Amino acid sequence: MASNSRNHFSSKFGFIMAAAGSAIGLGNIWGFPTQTANNGGAVFLIIYLLMVFLLAFPILVAELTIGRYAQSNPIRSLKKISPKWKISWIAIISIVAVSLILSFYAIIAGWLIGYFISNGVKLLGMNNTANWLTTFSIARNLMLMIIFMLLTMLVVRNGIANGIEKCSTYLMPLLLVLFIIMTIYIFTQSGAKEGLKMYLIPDFSHLSFNLAISAMGQAFFSLSLGVCTMMVYGSYLKKDTNLPTIAAQVAIFDTAIAFIAGLLILPAMFVAQNNGVQIFSESGKLLHSDTLVFKVLPNLFNTMGTSGLVISSIFFLLMIIATLTSSISMLEVPVSCAIEELNQSRSIAVTWISVIIITISSIIIWNFNELFSFFVQLTTVYMQPIIGLFIALISGWLWNRNKVLQELKKGYANIQESFFWKIWPIYIKIICPIFMLLIFFH
Ligand code: PHE
């Protein structure tokens, strides 16, 4: 496909919503509160915020800028940045990483579908089916994962402006509103205060390098970095957009949702504990990684009587959409490469790539205890930050600084005089890499 025939996001707001849609998902609502609860609360929150703004944000700008400059898929984009050094293998590793992420993501997203449908099924009095949908089993996991993947395929097949942008534009703000309403409700429940304390009052005895590594991985996962997703989205961006501003808006929106999710879920955790739900094991860690979203929140909805059923349905529906706007951004990475590098049609690329991902996902489902956490760790704790490190090195060392400047100037004429330009080039070249290496090698 010639670059001038590429699809583009039709409006700036649409792009922000699509990129925020990619960023906002299970990482914010499941990953962040779970990690915060497991890592001592407020300290994790503080380190996470530092990681987002000091490490992830500069790399987000880099990914978006590379994509928009090259107006191409990640393989070709990296080739264009540095024809001399063979760096397009980084795009290939990203494709592997993002496919593995989608394989486990689709399983959890499937559970959301299960909880959503179970509400309707309960109304019809089919309690056994409702139970089946919300109880862990291979058959249920497989069925729901496949439904979720089919939904993802459907949106990605329809392309950028039609599928991705429309989906995100209305629903992300709605999610924010629902969260705020639920947070206000939770504060009226007994036990909530204890959760709030844990979330907002730091106990620095929890501080450790492991915590820093978890927070770094969580920041990269939440902002969809280090797997070329944002590079691909950047390549669909028009030349007149101001990249640092847009990146900041996406990072702030994403962090706000994670913060509010914590504000809801940590207090909800203690409210549920008050109601007799066991949450922590003897060692003080969460019993299961699915406890917060799939036990604590349903417990909260139960306390609300019949309106709980309505709120629960809206919550799970919005969550499904939030995960869908993330999963489509994952699938778009290999698909954009297959379309442009292998000259395939969008629907063929979507089909065969999804079949591979569904296969990997099925293997994980069959060996859940052995493989699930392994893949989560491998991709989010190691692959994403390491690839992110390479993106920083590439933008800082291999990409001609004047070319970067020219690209950024297209949407921000006075950038040379800005505070951003005084700091960012050096930052991405030296400070980010050193900081990341320090954390890794400690
Ligand atoms: N950022 C998404 C979330 O928080 C997950 C994601 C990771 C999306 C990598 C795209 C790429 O749920």
Side-chain angles (χ1 to χ4, degrees):
M1 201 169 28
S3 65
N4 55 6
S5 67
R6 283 174 77 77
N7 262 315
H8 279 98
F9 285 105
S10 61
S11 70
K12 229 174 271 178
F13 183 71
F15 174 80
I16 294 173
M17 286 303 120
S22 164
I24 296 165
L26 288 170
N28 307 60
I29 289 119
W30 167 68
F32 173 74
T34 303
Q35 296 247 28
T36 308
N38 260 334
N39 286 298
V43 181
F44 186 84
L45 171 65
I46 295 171
I47 303 294
Y48 176 75
L49 291 176
L50 289 176
M51 291 293 176
V52 168
F53 291 103
L54 296 183
L55 266 188
F57 166 70
I59 293 178
L60 175 58
V61 177
E63 269 202 36
L64 288 174
T65 314
I66 293 176
R68 201 194 51 185
Y69 165 77
Q71 296 280 305
S72 190
N73 68 76
I75 297 180
R76 213 173 291 178
S77 298
L78 290 179
K79 265 188 204 149
K80 196 167 164 188
I81 296 289
S82 161
K84 199 168 110 215
W85 296 79
K86 305 244 166 304
I87 50 173
S88 43
W89 58 268
I90 293 173
I92 310 275
I93 296 182
S94 299
I95 291 176
V96 173
V98 84
S99 306
L100 293 178
I101 292 178
L102 184 50
S103 313
F104 73 73
Y105 207 81
I107 302 174
I108 313 261
W111 296 348
L112 295 171
I113 297 180
Y115 275 80
F116 175 68
I117 305 177
S118 83
N119 280 341
V121 167
K122 252 187 234 157
L123 281 181
L124 299 175
M126 297 154 69
N127 283 340
N128 283 343
T129 317
N131 261 346
W132 185 81
L133 284 166
T134 53
T135 311
F136 192 98
S137 74
I138 290 183
R140 173 202 73 155
N141 291 351
L142 275 177
M143 188 187 93
L144 296 174
M145 174 273 288
I146 291 174
I147 295 179
F148 181 77
M149 282 304 297
L150 289 175
L151 287 174
T152 305
M153 291 166 72
L154 200 74
V155 184
V156 177
R157 260 189 55 177
N158 289 333
I160 287 301
N162 279 333
I164 301 178
E165 190 177 338
K166 276 204 187 112
C167 225
S168 310
T169 306
Y170 301 102
L171 295 159
M172 287 303 107
L174 202 60
L175 186 70
L176 187 62
V177 174
L178 181 79
F179 263 36
I180 293 176
I181 296 175
M182 283 168 64
T183 307
I184 294 173
Y185 172 79
I186 197 73
F187 287 152
T188 65
Q189 302 291 301
S190 59
K193 235 195 221 149
E194 223 174 313
L196 203 58
K197 250 194 223 153
M198 175 177 181
Y199 189 43
L200 298 178
I201 302 177
D203 166 2
F204 286 100
S205 65
H206 291 284
L207 203 57
S208 69
F209 270 94
N210 271 345
L211 184 147
I213 291 188
S214 300
M216 178 164 78
Q218 178 60 32
F220 275 82
F221 183 72
S222 194
L223 283 177
S224 311
L225 293 178
V227 284
C228 294
T229 306
M230 289 300 178
M231 203 183 283
V232 174
Y233 272 28
S235 78
Y236 299 128
L237 206 47
K238 289 184 188 148
K239 289 286 182 188
D240 62 354
T241 31
N242 181 337
L243 292 171
T245 307
I246 254 188
Q249 284 162 337
V250 171
I252 290 172
F253 196 11
D254 182 66
T255 309
I257 293 270
F259 179 75
I260 296 174
L263 217 48
L264 166 71
I265 292 179
L266 271 89
M269 195 169 90
F270 285 84
V271 172
Q273 218 170 20
N274 245 6
N275 296 342
V277 179
Q278 195 192 351
I279 289 177
F280 290 107
S281 67
E282 307 264 301
S283 66
K285 291 272 172 196
L286 288 171
L287 267 187
H288 299 289
S289 58
D290 65 348
T291 306
L292 292 186
V293 171
F294 298 100
K295 285 219 178 72
V296 165
L297 290 182
N299 178 275
L300 171 71
F301 299 133
N302 283 342
T303 65
M304 299 173 167
T306 30
S307 55
L309 212 55
V310 178
I311 304 241
S312 154
S313 304
I314 300 176
F315 172 80
F316 281 112
L317 182 64
L318 289 179
M319 279 301 299
I320 293 167
I321 291 157
T323 47
L324 203 56
T325 52
S326 300
S327 64
I328 54 187
S329 74
M330 295 180 205
L331 190 54
E332 186 65 25
V333 177
V335 165
S336 69
C337 291
I339 293 175
E340 293 177 358
E341 298 300 308
L342 306 175
N343 258 326
Q344 292 178 338
S345 73
R346 190 166 262 277
S347 36
I348 292 199
V350 166
T351 310
W352 72 262
I353 293 166
S354 302
V355 168
I356 295 182
I357 291 170
I358 290 176
T359 311
I360 304 175
S361 196
S362 308
I363 297 174
I364 299 180
I365 288 177
W366 254 293
N367 304 282
F368 194 86
N369 291 335
E370 296 79 28
L371 293 185
F372 184 81
S373 306
F374 171 73
F375 277 123
V376 174
Q377 289 272 344
L378 175 71
T379 51
T380 64
V381 180
Y382 299 101
M383 294 179 91
Q384 286 192 284
I386 291 174
I387 298 170
L389 171 65
F390 276 104
I391 302 277
L393 291 172
I394 289 166
S395 333
W397 294 89
L398 298 186
W399 198 4
N400 179 297
R401 186 152 153 182
N402 200 31
K403 282 193 182 149
V404 187
L405 180 62
Q406 292 317 320
E407 184 58 35
L408 285 168
K409 259 189 171 171
K410 288 177 184 152
Y412 186 175
N414 305 329
I415 193 164
Q416 237 167 327
E417 286 95 60
S418 70
F419 176 66
F420 176 83
W421 186 253
K422 290 205 175 75
I423 302 228
W424 184 77
I426 278 288
Y427 198 85
I428 200 106
K429 187 171 183 169
I430 296 173
I431 302 177
C432 270
I434 291 184
F435 196 48
M436 292 179 80
L437 287 172
L438 261 179
I439 297 177
F440 264 122
F441 283 107
H442 200 85

